[in-house]
Amino acid sequence: MEKQTDERSVKSKNKKQTRKKNKAEITENQDLNVNKLECDVKNHKTNEQKVINEQKPDIFNNFKISIEINILAVILFMSALSSRFFKLDQPRNVVFDELHHGKYVSLYMKRTFFFDTHPPLGKQLIAAVAYLYNYNGQFKFERIGSEFSDDVPLFGLRFVPALCGSLIIPVAYQLMLELGCRHWCAALAAFLLLCENTLLTQSRFILMESILIFFTLCGLLFVLKYKRLNMKSPWALTYLIIASVCLTMATCVKYVGLLSWLLSLWIICRDFWVNHLGDKRLSDFTIFLCVILRCIITFLISIAIYFSVFFIHLIILNKAGPHDSVMTSAFQASLEGGLASITKGQPLHVSHGSQITLRHTHGRTCWLHSHTHVYPIKYADKRGSSHQQQVTCYTFKDVNNWWIVKRPERNTLAVENTKDPDGIKHGDIIQLVHGMTSRALNSHDVAAPVSPQNQEVSCYIDYNVSMPAQNLWKVEIINRDQFGDVWQAINSQVILTHLNSTQALKFSGRQLPDWGFNQHEVVTDKIIFQDDTVWNVEEHRYTKSENEKERERELVAAEMIPSKGTKLGLWERFWELQYKIIFSSPNTQNVHSHMYSSEPLDWPLMVRGVAYWLSEHDNGQIHLLGNIVVWYSSTLCLLLYLSFFAFYLLRQRRQIYDLSLDEWEQFKTIGEVLLVGYGLHYIPYFFIDRTLFLHHYLPALVFKILLCAAFLQHLANIVKTKLIPRFIFHLSLCIWILSVMYVFKKFIVFSYGTTPLTSKEVFKLRWKDTWDFIIHKP
């Protein structure tokens, strides 16, 4: 029994252990299932989040900055830097047009106004670096060859042109890639520019061409980038903005940059016409908005930058200087010192009894003048004169420039009430009495001495009863809407109309013979409203004494006491400066007057160079002369491109297609950009009547060199499938490149000017009879 009991207890115990074990297994399995379920849920949530993240725009994960460095472009840039900056401060002498540009930079340092027919940006950039180098502007650029003093930071003055000249090389490389050229072609174009001696020479001195070309190529590069991405990426508008900035800056260096601006505008408009205007997927409203947006970006940015450059120019240059006489009296009076010191505090309103000087407002600076000398009885052409007192326009300040304003019905000349003077108004009739001789300004039906088609102007002498006085003049204030009907000194611009003949007092611009002391002729003209009939009062004071001798002493000793400056707004000064730049008298010298001047027909074959500087100690010199291999090769490639283009057009007209569609489009694009660019920068010079030099050709030359490299790539594509022609082409290309390097190295002595040369060595470099090098006499 006990045994059975023990067995039952054992079995019972085993059952309990089994149940516990099973229960533990079930619990463990439940826990495993729970953990597995939790893992599944977690994995499901993770996968769900991944799907959500994939569906969301990946803004932050895709925000990456990637920098691509083109080793070839870097090598080209470093080569350009080393060639442009090598011995940059040598020679320490004024070289060619550094005479002008360096002088302008010095005037910037002294805040002294100067007048230049070119925009000021290039000089501003150089002046900014010169300011960082603590240049004081005291050096006087008196003549070519003047030695710089030790306190002139010459490296700083030449830094900006050298840097821009260096940047031209990699920018040209990127430009060729943007045109669809292969890397070897882009590298070849950059290499040709690197080995172009004229670009090297022009980049090493205080000259504007390297700055101009750099901004031109940059603007063109970003225009092509914009064209590639137009309406495909928001970056396109950014590229358009950058292009507008660069092209406007090129225009603000020299107005030649406007030609590049027009080229880019042509590229943009043609691309829009060809690729977008005919796209049916775009609505008319979308097209209209695109045009308006691009016009706003292009023109507003350009206008804003142009205005800003000139505003900075006018704000900095607030002091009178040697060039302010070109500007009107109002402009001069707004500057510190100079005319302002004379006109400050002078009476404003011209009245009966006013002593005035009348200045010719527009064009040449001169003042209405008379003296005791009379016109000759007969002129060289046997014509008779009035034999009256001469009236001229004199280009210098003189006591004989003073005139007294008089009302015809009054005999006294003194101003009785200076606080409430008898002001002359628009339409009033006056007489002008010469201050020193007391004779009235007169005109009559007698032919002028140099301009017989006009009437003579004189001061009347009462010794000829057959010729009565005709000395009444009508005052017409042409800007009275701005300054009112009362004649004001400085501000009012007047036309004096002769009452008897209804002709206006005019500066003819012609010079009198020796009997007139080579002063300028004054006449009357039937055409009333023109620039040469406009005058303004510059200096003004009231007559205090009736005694003629006392009045003469007053005029001789006339000097105004400064009290308050005459102000002219920034906008008024800006528009006047624009007017003077646009309509200033061009260089009237004949194009042959300078021994190194040249004509546009001479440039493609480099008939003449330009002597920039000659050492005083030896024949070492700087002479602007190009790489003759590059010049002749690029000229030949230009002609070949035109020939090939005409050939392809004729073949296509005959339904024969030598090029694939992609090849033909690239060939056309090369011509539309580079060939048109060359023509725009070259052809206008045939119509310019001024002294021209070889450096005016450099912007066009750059386009021609780029076209040369692109055409060589086209030739390479033609011969690539033919073994023997391909071998001959590659061999010829290698020989040609070596010859470019040889000529560059041979003539580099003319770019640096640091190598002493003997007369014999200079003669050896005279490869053309028309190259005029300077040699010291033995």
Side-chain angles (χ1 to χ4, degrees):
M1 287 292 292
E2 291 179 356
K3 189 174 181 180
Q4 290 178 352
T5 302
D6 291 338
E7 289 178 355
R8 285 195 196 99
S9 60
V10 169
K11 288 180 178 179
S12 176
K13 188 177 182 179
N14 289 335
K15 286 180 180 179
K16 289 180 179 179
Q17 290 177 349
T18 301
R19 282 197 298 269
K20 288 181 179 180
K21 186 176 180 180
N22 291 335
K23 189 176 181 180
E25 289 178 354
I26 291 170
T27 303
E28 184 177 356
N29 289 333
Q30 287 177 348
D31 292 339
L32 288 172
N33 290 333
V34 169
N35 291 336
K36 185 176 180 183
L37 181 62
E38 290 177 350
C39 289
D40 290 342
V41 170
K42 193 173 183 179
N43 290 334
H44 177 72
K45 289 182 177 180
T46 303
N47 292 332
E48 188 178 20
Q49 186 65 36
K50 285 182 178 180
V51 172
I52 293 172
N53 290 338
E54 287 176 357
Q55 291 175 350
K56 287 183 178 180
D58 195 359
I59 298 174
F60 295 102
N61 292 335
N62 285 339
F63 184 76
K64 299 177 183 178
I65 297 176
S66 59
I67 300 176
E68 296 181 3
I69 299 177
N70 190 312
I71 301 299
L72 190 54
V74 173
I75 293 173
L76 289 167
F77 178 52
M78 297 306 295
S79 301
L81 280 176
S82 61
S83 63
R84 271 62 179 171
F85 280 88
F86 177 71
K87 293 184 177 180
L88 187 61
D89 58 351
Q90 298 294 327
R92 288 195 64 85
N93 301 91
V94 177
V95 176
F96 195 56
D97 274 351
E98 285 188 332
L99 178 71
H100 304 296
H101 302 308
K103 189 179 296 182
Y104 296 150
V105 172
S106 293
L107 292 174
Y108 265 122
M109 297 297 103
K110 295 183 288 187
R111 306 193 67 174
T112 302
F113 179 80
F114 65 86
F115 177 79
D116 185 19
T117 54
H118 294 293
L121 180 61
K123 278 84 73 176
Q124 288 176 352
L125 294 174
I126 297 173
V129 176
Y131 177 79
L132 296 177
Y133 273 81
N134 296 318
Y135 175 50
N136 56 22
Q138 296 303 316
F139 181 79
K140 296 180 179 179
F141 291 77
E142 295 178 341
R143 60 179 180 85
I144 297 175
S146 297
E147 186 174 355
F148 287 103
S149 56
D150 294 335
D151 62 338
V152 177
L154 192 53
F155 182 89
L157 290 174
R158 293 173 176 172
F159 177 83
V160 172
L163 178 62
C164 291
S166 304
L167 289 170
I168 287 172
I169 310 304
V171 171
Y173 175 82
Q174 294 296 330
L175 176 62
M176 295 298 287
L177 293 180
E178 203 63 40
L179 282 170
C181 298
R182 292 199 288 272
H183 283 276
W184 73 265
C185 175
L188 176 62
F191 171 77
L192 294 177
L193 294 178
L194 178 66
C195 294
E196 174 46 47
N197 298 74
T198 51
L199 293 179
L200 172 61
T201 305
Q202 210 70 13
S203 300
R204 288 179 45 80
F205 305 104
I206 311 173
L207 304 172
M208 297 295 111
E209 275 68 27
S210 62
I211 308 174
L212 168 68
I213 294 171
F214 167 66
F215 283 127
T216 295
L217 293 183
C218 276
L220 194 57
L221 170 63
F222 283 101
V223 164
L224 293 176
K225 286 181 176 291
Y226 159 78
K227 177 185 174 184
R228 175 168 52 85
L229 296 178
N230 194 5
M231 295 188 179
K232 299 176 184 177
S233 169
W235 278 102
L237 292 180
T238 304
Y239 289 147
L240 183 60
I241 291 171
I242 298 173
S244 299
V245 171
C246 292
L247 291 169
T248 308
M249 293 179 78
T251 305
C252 291
V253 174
K254 275 191 170 185
Y255 283 120
V256 175
L258 186 61
L259 300 174
S260 305
W261 201 92
L262 293 175
L263 172 63
S264 299
L265 190 63
W266 150 258
I267 294 171
I268 293 170
C269 292
R270 190 184 184 285
D271 175 69
F272 189 82
W273 178 272
V274 173
N275 298 323
H276 303 296
L277 198 60
D279 193 342
K280 294 291 186 181
R281 294 171 298 178
L282 301 175
S283 66
D284 294 344
F285 183 71
T286 303
I287 291 289
F288 177 75
L289 285 182
C290 290
V291 171
I292 294 300
L293 179 62
R294 281 149 181 77
C295 288
I296 290 174
I297 290 175
T298 303
F299 292 103
L300 285 187
I301 288 177
S302 298
I303 292 171
I305 292 175
Y306 186 82
F307 282 8
S308 299
V309 167
F310 274 95
F311 284 173
I312 292 171
H313 177 73
L314 292 171
I315 290 171
I316 293 175
L317 305 181
N318 64 341
K319 298 180 181 179
H323 295 173
D324 62 1
S325 61
V326 177
M327 313 305 292
T328 62
S329 301
F331 192 103
Q332 293 181 65
S334 67
L335 302 173
E336 294 181 11
L339 178 64
S341 65
I342 301 173
T343 58
K344 287 177 183 177
Q346 69 180 11
L348 177 62
H349 294 124
V350 178
S351 66
H352 171 80
S354 288
Q355 298 174 359
I356 62 173
T357 59
L358 276 172
R359 173 187 157 140
H360 178 233
T361 303
H362 303 300
R364 189 175 184 89
T365 303
C366 64
W367 292 265
L368 189 66
H369 176 94
S370 186
H371 39 237
T372 56
H373 301 275
V374 296
Y375 291 110
I377 297 176
K378 286 191 176 182
Y379 300 122
D381 58 0
K382 306 303 180 183
R383 287 186 299 112
S385 78
S386 66
H387 200 50
Q388 297 277 313
Q389 183 172 304
Q390 296 176 13
V391 173
T392 66
C393 205
Y394 194 38
T395 54
F396 298 96
K397 294 294 185 72
D398 189 89
V399 68
N400 283 310
N401 295 348
W402 285 97
W403 299 81
I404 302 174
V405 179
K406 179 182 179 297
R407 289 194 182 276
E409 67 276 7
R410 296 177 63 177
N411 294 322
T412 61
L413 290 178
V415 178
E416 297 176 357
N417 187 357
T418 57
K419 292 183 179 180
D420 187 19
D422 181 17
I424 305 298
K425 296 181 179 180
H426 172 76
D428 284 356
I429 307 300
I430 65 167
Q431 291 175 319
L432 286 175
V433 179
H434 187 239
M436 297 302 294
T437 63
S438 298
R439 289 175 178 148
L441 186 70
N442 187 78
S443 185
H444 35 230
D445 189 16
V446 176
V450 185
S451 306
Q453 71 276 13
N454 299 119
Q455 277 191 183
E456 175 191 274
V457 175
S458 65
C459 278
Y460 182 74
I461 303 175
D462 190 13
Y463 58 56
N464 190 342
V465 293
S466 64
M467 186 175 290
Q470 300 180 26
N471 53 17
L472 300 180
W473 302 84
K474 181 181 178 181
V475 176
E476 298 187 60
I477 304 174
I478 62 174
N479 60 344
R480 60 186 180 281
D481 56 336
Q482 185 177 1
F483 294 103
D485 287 339
V486 180
W487 190 2
Q488 295 183 15
I490 300 294
N491 297 323
S492 297
Q493 296 179 1
V494 302
I495 293 176
L496 298 173
T497 306
H498 188 237
L499 200 62
N500 296 79
S501 61
T502 64
Q503 297 190 26
L505 186 72
K506 175 187 175 182
F507 164 77
S508 73
R510 298 188 176 184
Q511 203 165 15
L512 296 172
D514 292 340
W515 55 257
F517 306 97
N518 301 115
Q519 297 175 15
H520 291 83
E521 182 188 42
V522 173
V523 299
T524 60
D525 197 312
K526 295 177 181 177
I527 302 174
I528 304 296
F529 298 99
Q530 53 177 307
D531 284 350
D532 287 331
T533 60
V534 179
W535 305 79
N536 68 272
V537 171
E538 186 169 273
E539 298 171 58
H540 179 211
R541 66 200 306 266
Y542 290 146
T543 303
K544 299 177 182 179
S545 175
E546 289 291 344
N547 184 276
E548 185 175 340
K549 294 297 181 182
E550 182 66 26
R551 194 166 61 237
E552 288 181 10
R553 284 193 291 270
E554 286 179 7
L555 292 173
V556 172
E559 182 178 356
M560 305 310 299
I561 301 173
S563 61
K564 186 178 180 181
T566 303
K567 292 184 179 180
L568 190 68
L570 198 59
W571 278 103
E572 288 85 352
R573 286 192 288 159
F574 169 80
W575 289 115
E576 180 178 331
L577 184 58
Q578 296 305 301
Y579 179 89
K580 293 292 184 179
I581 289 175
I582 296 171
F583 296 103
S584 61
S585 299
N587 188 350
T588 56
Q589 291 179 324
N590 189 280
V591 294
H592 300 291
S593 60
H594 195 285
M595 65 179 298
Y596 286 102
S597 63
S598 54
E599 296 181 359
L601 284 176
D602 299 333
W603 296 342
L605 298 180
M606 203 170 58
V607 174
R608 307 197 69 195
V610 185
Y612 273 16
W613 172 80
L614 176 66
S615 172
E616 295 180 355
H617 311 291
D618 50 63
N619 289 307
Q621 57 188 282
I622 296 170
H623 199 98
L624 186 70
L625 204 65
N627 190 319
I628 193 169
V629 176
V630 175
W631 283 57
Y632 278 60
S633 302
S634 57
T635 300
L636 177 62
C637 287
L638 174 70
L639 297 175
L640 288 175
Y641 177 88
L642 289 170
S643 302
F644 272 60
F645 190 80
F647 173 76
Y648 289 143
L649 285 178
L650 290 173
R651 296 270 289 178
Q652 289 178 16
R653 189 64 180 168
R654 300 290 297 167
Q655 304 298 318
I656 302 172
Y657 299 96
D658 301 288
L659 302 177
S660 66
L661 183 61
D662 291 339
E663 289 176 330
W664 172 243
E665 286 299 322
Q666 187 190 18
F667 192 76
K668 283 198 306 179
T669 301
I670 294 294
E672 289 171 358
V673 177
L674 301 181
L675 182 63
V676 173
Y678 173 78
L680 273 175
H681 288 81
Y682 177 51
I683 296 175
Y685 285 105
F686 285 93
F687 307 98
I688 294 178
D689 184 20
R690 55 166 294 188
T691 305
L692 297 174
F693 297 94
L694 186 65
H695 60 78
H696 290 113
Y697 185 62
L698 293 185
L701 174 67
V702 170
F703 282 97
K704 188 169 69 169
I705 291 174
L706 299 181
L707 179 64
C708 174
F711 182 76
L712 289 176
Q713 176 184 281
H714 183 69
L715 291 181
N717 292 337
I718 293 175
V719 301
K720 66 181 179 182
T721 58
K722 303 170 184 176
L723 182 60
I724 296 178
R726 185 178 60 188
F727 173 77
I728 295 173
F729 174 80
H730 289 161
L731 180 62
S732 302
L733 186 63
C734 292
I735 296 172
W736 178 69
I737 291 174
L738 290 175
S739 65
V740 169
M741 295 174 63
Y742 171 77
V743 174
F744 174 69
K745 184 177 181 299
K746 189 78 173 174
F747 286 89
I748 202 171
V749 292
F750 288 151
S751 296
Y752 290 113
T754 56
T755 304
L757 298 173
T758 64
S759 301
K760 188 176 181 180
E761 289 172 332
V762 173
F763 273 116
K764 283 184 178 180
L765 293 173
R766 195 183 181 203
W767 290 6
K768 297 185 71 172
D769 294 337
T770 53
W771 292 356
D772 298 325
F773 301 137
I774 301 177
I775 299 175
H776 282 297
K777 293 182 179 180

